[in-house]
Amino acid sequence: MTIGIVCYPTFGGSGVVATELGLALAEHGHEVHFITYKQPVRLELLSRHIHFHEVSVPDYPLFHYQPYELALSSKLVDMVKLHKIEVLHVHYAIPHAYAGYMAKQMLKEEGIHIPMVTTLHGTDITLVGNHPHYKPAVTFSINKSDVVTSVSESLKEDTLRLFDVNNGIEVVPNFIDVAKHSNTSYTDCQRDLMAEPNEKIITHISNLRKVKRVVDVIEIFDRIQKKIPARLLMVGEGPQKDRCEQLCEEKGIEDKVVFLGNSSEIDKILCFSDLFLLPSEKESFGLAALEAMASGVPVISSNTGGLPEVNEHGESGFLCEVGDVDNMAKHALEILSSEETLRRFKAQAKEIAKRFDTKKIVPLYENVYKKALQKSKQ
Ligand code: GMT
């Protein structure tokens, strides 16, 4: 199959999922064309089945806002025709599903019928898409997609509750290459680069936006470090970083918290982590939690959105109410209380991550494409 993938190329869950999916599809022998404004961060182009086409928006003095959707839909039309793309898979409804639908309609005028699969990722529904300024366009694009998928049951329910949807939604969860994450053991990853031998390494990875409740991460860590020697690794960049750095200073823990910025060495960081914190306000799935679990890192998370579908309470970690930092710290200390308990949680986290192995999930997307192709032929 020849598949066109549209996604955000930046650090962020939806772009990571789209990129990993494209790479896995290429391994299955499909031709995969990424169409976006920049090469996705995790995209390795060293495959003859992977192609990247940049969408550029020429500047013009009249434009206050650059018409990206227009440039994207035009590029999609050109690429579908040039590379004989058979199915378009757009990740994140805004504005990709809208632009995809326009491309579909333009192609239809020329007798080309291309099915469009839209994958909803989370904030495109729960945070941004739901805003009255976008809602009619998002509802329209969801209803006009040939197949709609969501990354969790919870996101499906949110979509049906928040939008007037007259289309089916299939749940295809996020996935992880378990084999890749299993290549490392708990001891061989130079943890001495980051901490003293007696210190536990606690990690948080996100785009440090308000929705991630990163201030809670600092609060939880502060409670942990009062009881046991520990170090916090904050990975990512975002608007809440300054607030977090300031809070660490106020608490006098700045020498125990390392802000690493965006990193392309997530596997390595997770390899020497003992615990992962994800206390988000909203989280449709929590890919970062799954990545941690696959690396054998137990997770303390909030119980919002799709997180209970990923992180199993008392097994791969613990789930607490949003904002309950005391309880999160209590459970964190429980996991870190003895080497034996930590080893058990690590093993359990790894085991649960196997439910979301690439090998199990990518074929679900292949079926979705087949279904979309059949639908467009009807
Ligand atoms: O919230 C982020 O980190 C970015 C965002 C995105 O779309 O790039 O992530 C969303 O999609 C991910 C992949 O499907 C999910 O794992 C995240 O839970 C989801 N984020 C939220 O719902 C807040």
Side-chain angles (χ1 to χ4, degrees):
M1 231 182 274
T2 306
I3 302 148
I5 292 185
V6 180
C7 64
Y8 282 105
T10 45
F11 286 91
S14 63
V16 170
V17 171
T19 308
E20 296 290 345
L21 175 61
L23 294 172
L25 289 166
E27 269 182 35
H28 286 199
H30 300 288
E31 288 300 318
V32 181
H33 294 261
F34 284 90
I35 304 151
T36 180
Y37 60 86
K38 210 174 79 192
Q39 188 178 316
V41 280
R42 288 203 196 174
L43 184 63
E44 293 147 15
L45 284 169
L46 290 176
S47 159
R48 64 197 157 93
H49 298 303
I50 297 274
H51 315 267
F52 166 63
H53 313 289
E54 185 178 316
V55 180
S56 57
V57 191
D59 205 2
Y60 186 68
L62 200 64
F63 296 158
H64 181 60
Y65 302 108
Q66 300 226 353
Y68 179 64
E69 293 88 309
L70 214 62
L72 174 59
S73 48
S74 293
K75 188 79 179 180
L76 289 174
V77 168
D78 289 347
M79 292 304 104
V80 166
K81 288 199 289 192
L82 187 65
H83 298 288
K84 310 223 169 352
I85 292 173
E86 295 165 276
V87 55
L88 280 180
H89 188 178
V90 302
H91 291 260
Y92 210 86
I94 308 168
H96 299 149
Y98 192 73
Y101 178 70
M102 287 315 296
K104 198 176 143 75
Q105 290 306 102
M106 284 188 264
L107 288 159
K108 197 170 159 191
E109 294 289 316
E110 299 185 40
I112 301 169
H113 296 271
I114 179 132
M116 178 174 79
V117 174
T118 298
T119 290
L120 308 173
H121 279 275
T123 47
D124 48 350
I125 293 301
T126 55
L127 217 65
V128 198
N130 190 25
H131 192 283
H133 290 178
Y134 297 120
K135 202 169 177 174
V138 174
T139 311
F140 176 83
S141 330
I142 292 174
N143 288 335
K144 291 292 180 186
S145 302
D146 293 283
V147 180
V148 182
T149 74
S150 77
V151 297
S152 65
E153 286 292 343
S154 154
L155 182 60
K156 176 179 173 175
E157 281 162 27
D158 283 342
T159 310
L160 295 175
R161 183 171 45 80
L162 296 168
F163 294 84
D164 196 5
V165 176
N166 59 27
N167 209 345
I169 300 179
E170 289 190 30
V171 176
V172 181
N174 287 335
F175 55 89
I176 192 92
D177 186 342
V178 174
K180 196 173 114 195
H181 284 261
S182 298
N183 285 341
T184 47
S185 80
Y186 302 143
T187 50
D188 67 354
C189 30
Q190 295 176 285
R191 61 175 288 142
D192 54 328
L193 285 176
M194 283 297 159
E196 298 299 324
N198 65 334
E199 285 176 327
K200 290 288 177 255
I201 299 181
I202 322 289
T203 300
H204 170 79
I205 304 172
S206 78
N207 37 31
L208 310 187
R209 284 178 296 143
K210 241 183 168 167
V211 70
K212 301 290 174 183
R213 292 189 72 104
V214 276
V215 164
D216 286 4
V217 172
I218 308 293
E219 290 291 349
I220 300 161
F221 175 72
D222 185 37
R223 286 158 174 75
I224 295 172
Q225 64 83 34
K226 280 186 175 132
K227 302 278 182 198
I228 57 168
R231 205 161 273 264
L232 174 64
L233 306 184
M234 295 288 283
V235 185
E237 289 292 343
Q240 291 281 291
K241 188 176 174 181
D242 290 351
R243 174 80 193 98
C244 289
E245 283 178 320
Q246 191 193 338
L247 186 61
C248 290
E249 225 175 286
E250 280 164 28
K251 290 182 176 295
I253 54 171
E254 66 274 23
D255 57 332
K256 292 185 179 175
V257 183
V258 187
F259 288 85
L260 290 172
N262 285 329
S263 174
S264 49
E265 294 190 295
I266 297 297
D267 295 358
K268 202 168 181 183
I269 293 168
L270 289 172
C271 178
F272 48 57
S273 298
D274 294 299
L275 193 71
F276 190 81
L277 301 179
L278 195 62
S280 309
E281 182 84 36
K282 285 188 169 66
E283 204 65 72
S284 68
F285 182 90
L287 182 63
L290 178 61
E291 289 188 328
M293 287 160 56
S295 294
V297 184
V299 175
I300 300 289
S301 73
S302 57
N303 57 7
T304 190
L307 280 169
E309 294 170 47
V310 185
N311 184 18
E312 205 172 301
H313 190 72
E315 293 291 322
S316 52
F318 288 100
L319 295 144
C320 304
E321 293 296 322
V322 172
D324 191 351
V325 290
D326 285 329
N327 207 16
M328 290 187 195
K330 190 188 112 206
H331 281 308
L333 287 163
E334 194 178 326
I335 292 175
L336 301 172
S337 64
S338 73
E339 287 307 316
E340 173 45 33
T341 314
L342 179 57
R343 235 190 323 271
R344 181 162 50 83
F345 272 94
K346 280 184 176 225
Q348 286 165 183
K350 223 171 188 175
E351 201 48 43
I352 290 172
K354 287 183 188 161
R355 294 176 192 161
F356 302 94
D357 191 11
T358 307
K359 286 193 187 69
K360 289 185 185 151
I361 309 298
V362 171
L364 302 182
Y365 275 118
E366 291 176 307
N367 286 339
V368 161
Y369 299 152
K370 282 182 203 146
K371 193 171 159 186
L373 273 166
Q374 268 165 9
K375 244 180 140 179
S376 74
K377 278 182 195 143
Q378 282 164 9

